[in-house]
């Protein structure tokens, strides 16, 4: 679902996921076109100009006559194309392809903000664009039967666009078919015909725990899944409870551990296979200079041979690579979800596989004593404050919880809903989701409704992102002013509609939540009866439907009201577990707002924002925490850590460590822009650079990132001014 419009010399392209691509041209002439570009696209338009400007991106050019490929040098050297017929692949948030005949020069601007494609004269160019998000292709109906679920998981792989190592690119893994519960197994002929059989089998015990845990591995390997009662039959010596991985043509049958150690085996197999695919794919048409690529030679692996090998042959080679030999080079896995192993949970599997999440069984324990305080302090960005400051801050937070010092707290005289928080047993992963009973810390608490709601919002069309800020207590005007200004500034770069409302009564607040708003930022109070208004409280459970796609209820004890909004139609939102201090709420609210409108997912934005305060564990995310409200300048939001090194002489030196990843598009890479860097890095792997003060100022100015420095978090472009002497 792609829409486009022209404003002067700028073409605006928008997709169903609120991603936006702005293409600028000199005296740009735009018209509809039905000419193809020999690439998968959703829409084509004809552009006539002598220069086109795109947001910063990785760029490849393909010569159709010579069948050669060129890549724009990441370090900044222009790419000159001699006269011919070309397709240029521009890897922006909305995938873009240019097809034209003639010569061209492609280069990056000095600040790395834009890609410029220039022609010797006015030239007609066909622009093809493709939405990166794909809707599920069809629906599979399953009864309450492990063997039926196994067959449904087998057919999840029908959404893959390739069986080569390029499947590690997120754009080449489509959204799996939906699963719904029913009395009989129903799989359409179309889905069956698109499901590959590579001779790779996963045989697991006939229980939901094993099936859910192995589902991500089966999906990525495009394996056939069977239950042990069917897959092994009555073979002599067969352990019907022992899962195994089979490669038919190689007569390989690798035993896996039973639960719970099966979780560890699956994690290692998936991480190893995915990582090696990311390295081997560089022998294909979409390769780049990865810093991790040299590991293949150390392992004695031939990328060219493996790239063209069959999936079964390639996997057989990977199985011979010891996990210990690559463990230290593996990117941290982006997402883990803890799912109740029950028939009721089966409908969430396609959404989790679309994000390539690890799936684990949920386990919790009680928080002991001051453990919640201690865990909050572990995450807190400590600046120059000493132990006395920390102690006073903790005491202030606890006083607010007890109802003391009402001037410092965001609580009212009414009763605030209490939440019984538990400690989750978290396995590996950067971000954690929870699809089970209980309310754990350090996870986003989701429901099946959140994922279905996301699909509903993707089907809607909108020309802009609508944001509504609601201030329902004048004493909290500080946060209101801060976040409104942040949204206004961002609206100068992205198409946004901002509405600001104050002192809404219950009927008006209900109307805001029932209207088609992409984000509602509520600033006020919350009691057991609901969100506080001048004429009473609004219980969100009383709404007929919530059409606010995302929200932040920055009020004390808003967890249950937020969960109700998810069940009523929202995708995700930020909430609090208990009473919070007003100055803490202002810090969290303003930082969350800035990160959210720069493309960070809701969980990652909240994870960073709450670390600005000592009692950050009081804040959480409900719904699908991987969801993003808008796009950023970079498809994969970046966080940096900045440390000043010991001075050697008069020159100050700094260590800048970049961390770029996304819970939505794992398998991507990023290229840090320093004068000396020649490599791209896999998302999830950090990169570090020692820089002088002028070099640091330049890099911060040219990088869109949140920066953790001196005990707080800043936006890179704003922080750069400190070092630009």
């Amino acid at each position: 679902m792609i829409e486009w419009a022209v404003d002067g010399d700028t073409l605006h392209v928008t997709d169903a996921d609120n991603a936006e691509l702005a293409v600028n041209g000199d005296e740009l002439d735009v018209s509809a076109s039905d000419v193809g570009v020999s690439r998968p696209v959703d829409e084509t338009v004809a552009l006539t100009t002598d220069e086109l400007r795109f947001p910063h991106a990785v760029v490849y050019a393909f010569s159709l006559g010579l069948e050669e490929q060129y890549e724009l040098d990441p370090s900044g050297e222009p790419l000159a194309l001699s006269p011919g017929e070309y397709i240029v692949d521009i890897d922006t948030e909305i995938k873009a392809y240019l097809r034209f005949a003639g010569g061209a020069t492609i280069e990056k601007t000095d600040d790395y903000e834009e890609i410029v494609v220039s022609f010797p004269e006015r030239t007609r160019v066909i622009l093809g664009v493709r939405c990166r998000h794909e809707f599920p292709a069809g629906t599979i109906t399953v009864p309450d039967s492990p063997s039926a679920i196994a067959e449904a998981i087998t057919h999840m792989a029908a959404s893959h666009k390739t069986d080569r190592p390029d499947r590690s690119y997120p754009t080449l893994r489509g959204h799996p078919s939906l699963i719904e519960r029913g009395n009989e197994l129903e799989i359409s002929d179309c889905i069956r015909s698109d499901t590959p059989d590579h001779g790779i089998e996963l045989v697991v015990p006939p229980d939901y725990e094993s099936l859910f845990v192995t589902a991500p591995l089966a999906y990525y390997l495009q394996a056939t899944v069977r239950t042990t009662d069917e897959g092994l039959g009555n073979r002599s010596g067969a352990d019907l409870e022992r899962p195994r991985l089979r490669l038919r043509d190689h007569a390989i049958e690798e035993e896996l551990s039973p639960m719970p150690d099966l979780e560890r085996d699956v994690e290692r197999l998936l991480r190893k296979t995915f990582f090696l695919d990311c390295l081997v794919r560089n022998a294909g048409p979409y390769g780049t200079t990865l810093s991790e690529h040299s590991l293949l030679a150390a392992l004695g692996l031939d990328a060219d041979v493996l790239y063209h090998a069959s999936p079964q042959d390639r996997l057989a080679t990977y199985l011979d690579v010891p996990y210990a030999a690559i463990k230290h080079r593996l990117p941290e896995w982006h997402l883990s979800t803890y799912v109740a192993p029950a028939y009721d949970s089966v409908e969430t599997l396609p959404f989790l596989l679309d994000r390539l999440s690890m799936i684990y069984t949920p386990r919790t324990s009680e928080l002991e004593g001051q453990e919640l305080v201690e865990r909050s302090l572990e995450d807190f960005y400590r600046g120059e404050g000493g132990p006395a400051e920390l102690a006073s801050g903790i005491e202030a937070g606890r006083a607010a919880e007890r109802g003391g010092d009402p001037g410092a707290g965001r609580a009212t005289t009414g009763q605030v809903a209490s939440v019984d928080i538990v400690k989750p047993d978290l396995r590996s992963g950067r971000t954690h989701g929870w699809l089970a009973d209980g309310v754990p810390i350090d996870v986003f608490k989701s429901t099946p409704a959140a994922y279905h709601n996301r699909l509903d919002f993707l089907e809607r069309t909108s020309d802009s992102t609508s944001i509504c800020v609601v201030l329902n207590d004048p004493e909290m005007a500080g946060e209101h002013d801060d976040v409104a200004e942040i949204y206004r500034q961002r609206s100068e770069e992205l198409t946004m509609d901002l509405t600001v409302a104050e002192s809404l009564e219950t009927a008006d607040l209900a109307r805001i939540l029932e209207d088609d708003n992409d984000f509602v930022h509520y600033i006020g109070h919350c009691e057991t009866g609901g969100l506080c208004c001048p004429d009473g409280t609004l219980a969100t459970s009383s709404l007929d439907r919530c059409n606010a796609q995302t929200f932040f209820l920055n009020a004390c004890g808003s967890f249950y009201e937020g969960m109700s909004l998810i069940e009523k139609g929202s995708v995700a939102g930020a909430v609090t577990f208990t009473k919070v201090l007003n100055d803490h709420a202002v810090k969290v609210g303003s930082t969350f707002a800035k990160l959210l409108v720069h493309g960070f997912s809701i969980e990652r934005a909240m994870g960073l924002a709450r670390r600005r305060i000592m009692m950050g564990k009081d804040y959480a995310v409900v719904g699908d925490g991987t969801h993003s409200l808008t796009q950023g300048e970079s498809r994969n939001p970046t966080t940096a850590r900045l440390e000043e090194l010991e001075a050697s002489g008069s020159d100050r030196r700094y260590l800048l460590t970049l961390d770029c990843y996304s819970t939505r598009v794992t398998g991507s890479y990023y290229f840090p822009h320093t004068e000396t860097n020649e490599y791209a890095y896999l998302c999830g792997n950090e990169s570090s650079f020692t820089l002088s003060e002028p070099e640091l100022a330049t890099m911060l100015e040219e990088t869109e990132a949140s920066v953790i420095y001196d005990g707080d978090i800043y936006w890179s472009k704003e922080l750069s001014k400190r070092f630009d002497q």
Side-chain angles (χ1 to χ4, degrees), residues 108 152 254 337 470 544 592 610:
K108 297 180 180 180
E254 181 161 314
T337 310
V470 177
D544 291 333
F592 178 82
R610 67 189 180 195

Side-chain angles (χ1 to χ4, degrees), residues 21-68:
L21 170 63
V23 183
N24 298 297
D26 184 20
E27 298 182 7
L28 185 65
D29 180 61
V30 184
S31 61
S33 173
D34 57 3
V35 178
V37 294
S38 69
R39 295 291 189 275
V41 296
D42 298 318
E43 188 82 23
T44 58
V45 293
L47 312 176
T48 303
T49 184
D50 59 5
E51 180 180 282
L52 291 170
R53 290 177 172 261
F54 291 82
H56 171 76
V58 175
V59 179
Y60 297 98
F62 300 87
S63 170
L64 298 183
L66 302 175
E67 296 185 355
E68 291 185 357

Side-chain angles (χ1 to χ4, degrees), residues 374-515:
E374 293 167 359
R375 291 168 73 107
S376 288
L377 288 177
E378 287 175 2
D379 285 348
F380 175 52
Y381 297 136
R382 290 177 174 83
E384 311 239 339
E389 181 185 346
L390 290 174
S392 64
I394 296 167
E395 182 54 36
R398 287 308 169 216
E401 286 188 12
R402 296 190 298 267
D405 192 11
R410 183 155 286 206
T412 69
T413 56
Q415 186 176 359
V416 173
S418 61
V419 182
D420 293 327
I421 306 172
V422 295
K423 179 173 63 176
D425 176 13
L426 299 181
R427 273 71 101 195
S428 68
R430 184 73 66 92
T431 302
H432 302 271
W434 195 263
L435 277 161
D437 293 336
V439 185
I441 59 172
D442 297 323
V443 304
F444 62 85
K445 167 78 173 180
S446 196
T447 70
Y451 301 101
H452 291 287
N453 294 343
R454 179 163 58 84
L455 289 184
D456 291 341
F457 278 101
L458 288 173
E459 291 175 347
R460 304 182 189 182
T461 58
S462 175
D463 295 331
S464 63
T465 300
S466 55
I467 295 177
C468 182
V469 181
V470 177
L471 174 64
N472 258 19
D473 187 329
E475 294 183 3
M476 301 172 185
E479 178 187 350
H480 166 270
D481 295 343
D482 286 350
V483 300
E485 181 59 26
I486 289 168
Y487 298 139
R488 287 193 186 97
Q489 290 177 357
R490 188 63 171 142
S491 68
E492 297 174 2
E493 302 164 352
L494 287 179
T495 308
M496 286 184 177
D497 292 329
L498 175 64
T499 303
V500 177
E502 298 183 22
S503 301
L504 294 183
E505 296 190 345
T506 52
D508 296 322
L509 180 56
R511 191 174 302 111
I512 291 291
L513 294 170
E514 290 174 341
D515 284 348

Side-chain angles (χ1 to χ4, degrees), residues 272-352:
K272 179 170 71 170
T273 304
F274 187 84
F275 176 63
L276 292 175
D277 269 355
C278 287
L279 305 188
V280 170
R281 74 189 184 191
N282 289 282
Y286 308 111
T288 191
T289 308
L290 275 182
S291 68
E292 299 89 346
H293 188 264
S294 60
L295 183 60
L296 288 180
L299 296 171
L301 301 180
D302 188 322
D304 289 317
V305 171
L306 288 170
Y307 182 83
H308 295 95
S310 71
Q312 195 174 160
D313 291 346
R314 194 166 61 249
L315 180 56
T317 301
Y318 290 173
L319 290 176
D320 287 336
V321 176
Y323 184 76
I326 63 170
K327 180 180 179 181
H328 64 293
R329 300 293 297 274
L330 292 174
E332 188 174 1
W333 200 254
H334 61 293
L335 177 63
S336 296
T337 310
Y338 304 80
V339 184
Y343 177 54
D344 291 350
S345 303
V346 70
E347 65 185 285
T348 64
L349 285 179
F351 302 102
L352 303 182

Side-chain angles (χ1 to χ4, degrees), residues 100-286:
F100 60 87
T105 299
I106 307 174
E107 58 190 328
K108 297 180 180 180
T109 55
D110 291 340
D111 59 7
Y112 289 91
E113 290 285 332
E114 292 183 307
I115 298 295
V116 182
V117 184
S118 54
F119 307 96
E121 56 189 10
R122 286 183 65 81
T123 301
R124 187 172 187 267
V125 180
I126 301 300
L127 169 67
V129 288
R130 183 177 83 238
C131 173
R132 290 187 179 276
H133 179 87
E134 293 199 10
F135 291 91
T139 300
I140 296 174
T141 303
V142 294
D144 188 357
S145 159
S147 61
I149 305 302
E151 187 165 354
I153 292 172
T154 296
H155 290 286
M156 295 290 97
S159 65
H160 284 232
K161 297 177 175 62
T162 181
D163 57 16
R164 287 187 168 175
D166 298 321
R167 64 188 174 183
S168 56
Y169 284 115
T171 54
L172 296 177
R173 302 187 304 269
H175 197 301
S177 301
L178 296 179
I179 294 179
E180 66 178 19
R181 290 170 286 163
N183 295 325
E184 296 181 357
L185 179 65
E186 297 178 11
I187 303 173
S188 69
D189 292 341
C190 180
I191 294 174
R192 288 185 183 277
S193 64
D194 286 342
T195 303
D197 182 3
H198 296 310
I200 300 171
E201 294 183 0
L202 263 173
V203 184
V204 300
D207 59 71
Y208 286 130
E209 279 189 333
S210 302
L211 284 166
F212 284 19
V213 166
T214 55
L217 179 63
Y219 165 70
Y220 186 73
L221 295 181
Q222 300 166 289
T224 300
V225 184
R226 307 184 192 281
T227 51
T228 48
D229 50 347
E230 292 185 340
L232 297 179
N234 296 316
R235 288 168 48 193
S236 175
D239 181 355
L240 297 185
E241 296 306 314
R242 192 85 176 187
R244 61 200 67 215
L245 176 64
R246 286 179 176 173
L247 279 66
R248 287 200 304 257
D249 295 347
H250 292 262
I252 292 175
E253 189 164 294
E254 181 161 314
E255 285 195 352
L256 307 177
S257 303
M259 288 292 295
D261 291 339
L262 178 61
E263 294 180 338
R264 177 204 60 208
D265 289 357
V266 167
E267 175 199 326
R268 291 183 173 184
L269 276 170
L270 179 52
R271 292 183 70 188
K272 179 170 71 170
T273 304
F274 187 84
F275 176 63
L276 292 175
D277 269 355
C278 287
L279 305 188
V280 170
R281 74 189 184 191
N282 289 282
Y286 308 111

Side-chain angles (χ1 to χ4, degrees), residues 520-543:
V520 174
H521 192 141
Y522 172 85
I523 303 166
H525 300 295
C526 183
E527 299 175 356
T528 52
L531 303 176
C532 294
C533 301
D535 62 337
T537 56
L538 173 67
T540 55
S541 59
S542 67
L543 300 174

